[in-house]
Amino acid sequence: GRVTSVRAKGNVCFAVIRSGTFPFHTVQVCHFKDKTQPDESKKLIKFVGNLALESIVDIFGVLSAADVKSCTQSDVEVVIQKVLVVSRAPVQLPFLLEDAARSQLDIDRSQDSDRPFAGVSQDVRLNNRWLDLRVPANNAILRVRSGVCQLFRTALYNEGFMEINTPKLISGESEGGSEVFRTDYFGQPACLAQSPQLYKQMAISADFDRVFEIGPVFRAEKSFTRRHLCEFTGLDFEMAIKEHYNEALTVIHGLFRTIFDGLEQRYSKELAVIREQYPSEPVRFTDQPLIIHWPDAMNMLTEAGHTVDPFADLSTSLEATLGELVAAKYGADFFALDQYPSAVRPFYTMPNHIDARYSNSYDLFIRGQEICSGAQRCHDVDLLVQRVQEKGMDIGPLASYIESFRHGVPPHAGAGIGLDRVVFLYLGLDNVRKASMFPRDPNRITP
């Protein structure tokens, strides 16, 4: 395990060893001077006292009953007989894990005391991310992130979906607009995929009626907010529908119910460790899908004293306000907002058949922040071409995609979910970068 703390004085030494495979577990090891072997015993005490924090050691000894309140193994300790250093850490670390493991509340409370606690800045943490991820709460966040992926797969496999893998080097923008990373592909212009959208839909055309993918997504957005990244992991699915796009919303609700319940049940230890440093409450959600229609949302915001444009997208602040209003009215932190204006949705979004100014689209929110965007897609090729032209996009790079619709494709709908943002919001973190192993933003491409 790793050396977490060391104390050596006179004829005794103590150390706390943190498990290397499950870093939330700690055990105290100790050695008292042995009168039968005083010289060897004294050397061992000195050796343990000089161990650098974060070194990896093998401890050989005898398990003994003890009352140790500072370790997770609180009723035993190891009386040391031999210590081997597997990997020695430097004496001077970029920061102390003890400092990085404190909650902001503890740091703030200490500022008026005689010994105020030090904090560790986000840049210092991210510059030494491998060290930052040894902090129990941060390590647990990545384990919860892995759990979200596992539960996402489980939920969709149980609904008859199959997993696919789509290209990330493409010849045109999948979403439209200029927010793409462009590159040269053997003399041809290419870019990194903004989403697997086009290929998910072509999979539906290929008679894979229900598909999903977990993969990287790239957005060349010069956004420096606490909730945006230039590369993140997308949880995407697409499905054929029979009568209404609510079929997809029902799948999404069941999917997130599986994730929310699964995290609380399977990852209770990790969540307890995380919430000790980053306090949060479980997300509240309804038994059946909670769907707020766009006109109703506009009315809720207007009645709350806000000025809204019914044909413009919601600002971040209005989304947060709507989340508060929904929570107060329905007692839920998780909901869907549908029937967005067509003008603010991508070209492949199906317009509403009653009023084309609106669309058969939806976003999902946790605590007033978007985690998922989806819609029924245009499956009529003439309407699809019309939508591309209305958006002022070049049809050329979309030729293969459009051709797949000429050969017949069933009505379908789907969604794209941001894994990093789900973890960030579910855990009530202050920054999405905490939910990414090695985050990428406009200022960071290393480590």
Side-chain angles (χ1 to χ4, degrees):
R2 289 193 181 273
V3 179
T4 299
S5 67
V6 175
R7 289 184 292 122
K9 187 176 182 180
N11 297 328
V12 64
C13 65
F14 293 91
V16 172
I17 305 300
R18 191 174 74 247
S19 169
T21 55
F22 203 67
F24 323 132
H25 290 171
T26 54
V27 64
Q28 178 172 280
V29 300
C30 60
H31 182 81
F32 299 87
K33 187 176 179 181
D34 187 346
K35 294 180 180 179
T36 64
Q37 296 178 311
D39 292 339
E40 288 80 359
S41 188
K42 190 172 182 179
K43 288 179 182 177
L44 179 57
I45 292 172
K46 182 179 179 180
F47 183 80
V48 172
N50 289 329
L51 287 173
L53 299 183
E54 293 305 299
S55 295
I56 298 175
V57 295
D58 283 342
I59 304 289
F60 300 84
V62 177
L63 203 62
S64 175
D67 182 14
V68 185
K69 295 181 180 179
S70 60
C71 294
T72 59
Q73 304 303 306
S74 59
D75 56 354
V76 294
E77 64 184 7
V78 178
V79 180
I80 304 171
Q81 294 177 332
K82 181 171 67 173
V83 179
L84 298 178
V85 176
V86 178
S87 179
R88 192 180 298 275
V91 174
Q92 186 70 38
L93 294 168
F95 56 84
L96 294 177
L97 265 69
E98 182 182 7
D99 292 336
R102 291 192 182 99
S103 71
Q104 190 60 48
L105 182 60
D106 287 342
I107 294 173
D108 292 342
R109 284 175 174 172
S110 74
Q111 296 311 300
D112 294 329
S113 69
D114 295 334
R115 299 181 63 184
F117 292 143
V120 182
S121 72
Q122 179 172 275
D123 279 345
V124 171
R125 288 175 181 269
L126 294 181
N127 289 342
N128 303 276
R129 185 61 164 154
W130 51 90
L131 193 61
D132 186 45
L133 288 175
R134 295 180 195 172
V135 174
N138 296 342
N139 192 282
I141 288 169
L142 269 293
R143 294 174 188 269
V144 167
R145 176 190 170 104
S146 174
V148 173
C149 290
Q150 181 186 34
L151 292 163
F152 175 81
R153 282 191 169 97
T154 298
L156 292 184
Y157 279 136
N158 289 341
E159 291 289 339
F161 283 75
M162 66 171 280
E163 186 167 5
I164 60 173
N165 304 105
T166 63
K168 304 308 166 196
L169 278 171
I170 62 174
S171 63
E173 299 95 4
S174 51
E175 303 285 345
S178 59
E179 296 167 346
V180 296
F181 290 104
R182 303 181 188 281
T183 187
D184 176 82
Y185 190 75
F186 301 105
Q188 301 179 60
C191 65
L192 298 179
Q194 294 168 293
S195 82
Q197 184 58 48
L198 309 188
Y199 296 94
K200 289 191 302 176
Q201 291 184 256
M202 285 191 273
I204 300 297
S205 179
D207 285 345
F208 298 112
D209 280 357
R210 294 188 164 202
V211 298
F212 74 88
E213 178 174 23
I214 299 178
V217 175
F218 303 92
R219 302 283 170 89
E221 296 178 333
K222 282 195 174 182
S223 182
F224 301 91
T225 75
R226 67 191 186 96
R227 65 192 194 114
H228 284 93
L229 294 171
C230 293
E231 178 185 352
F232 61 90
T233 301
L235 309 175
D236 282 82
F237 79 85
E238 204 76 18
M239 58 182 279
I241 59 175
K242 297 186 182 301
E243 295 181 1
H244 196 279
Y245 65 84
N246 277 357
E247 296 165 36
L249 283 171
T250 299
V251 168
I252 294 173
H253 183 79
L255 163 65
F256 275 103
R257 186 172 187 133
T258 297
I259 291 173
F260 296 157
D261 286 342
L263 289 179
E264 296 297 329
Q265 294 167 9
R266 300 186 192 180
Y267 292 85
S268 57
K269 292 181 180 179
E270 288 85 350
L271 290 173
V273 171
I274 295 166
R275 287 167 176 161
E276 187 174 342
Q277 183 169 0
Y278 307 111
S280 71
E281 295 293 331
V283 169
R284 299 172 299 166
F285 56 94
T286 52
D287 290 337
Q288 298 300 318
L290 176 55
I291 304 172
I292 309 298
H293 302 309
W294 185 265
D296 296 331
M298 296 301 100
N299 289 336
M300 291 173 69
L301 290 168
T302 300
E303 290 172 2
H306 297 273
T307 301
V308 295
D309 180 348
F311 296 104
D313 206 352
L314 291 179
S315 65
T316 301
S317 62
L318 284 177
E319 288 179 344
T321 300
L322 180 61
E324 294 171 358
L325 296 172
V326 170
K329 184 173 182 178
Y330 298 99
D333 303 311
F334 176 71
F335 68 95
L337 175 61
D338 75 343
Q339 300 176 5
Y340 274 76
S342 293
V344 302
R345 305 302 281 198
F347 70 89
Y348 45 75
T349 305
M350 177 67 78
N352 185 284
H353 71 283
I354 297 174
D355 186 345
R357 296 177 301 171
Y358 297 97
S359 62
N360 295 350
S361 62
Y362 39 83
D363 281 358
L364 280 293
F365 294 84
I366 291 180
R367 299 187 174 112
Q369 296 196 57
E370 178 215 329
I371 57 162
C372 169
S373 186
Q376 179 183 354
R377 323 301 188 182
C378 293
H379 61 277
D380 178 89
V381 68
D382 293 330
L383 178 59
L384 181 62
V385 171
Q386 177 186 325
R387 292 278 295 159
V388 172
Q389 293 171 338
E390 288 174 351
K391 294 288 185 179
M393 296 177 62
D394 182 6
I395 289 182
L398 300 171
S400 297
Y401 167 73
I402 292 172
E403 192 67 16
S404 71
F405 287 80
R406 297 190 191 281
H407 299 154
V409 62
H412 56 285
I417 302 161
L419 170 62
D420 310 74
R421 197 173 286 188
V422 169
V423 175
F424 153 57
L425 293 172
Y426 188 84
L427 298 177
L429 305 176
D430 62 348
N431 198 299
V432 71
R433 290 158 183 79
K434 286 184 171 69
S436 175
M437 180 171 268
F438 294 101
R440 293 290 177 262
D441 60 36
N443 290 331
R444 181 170 295 278
I445 198 169
T446 61

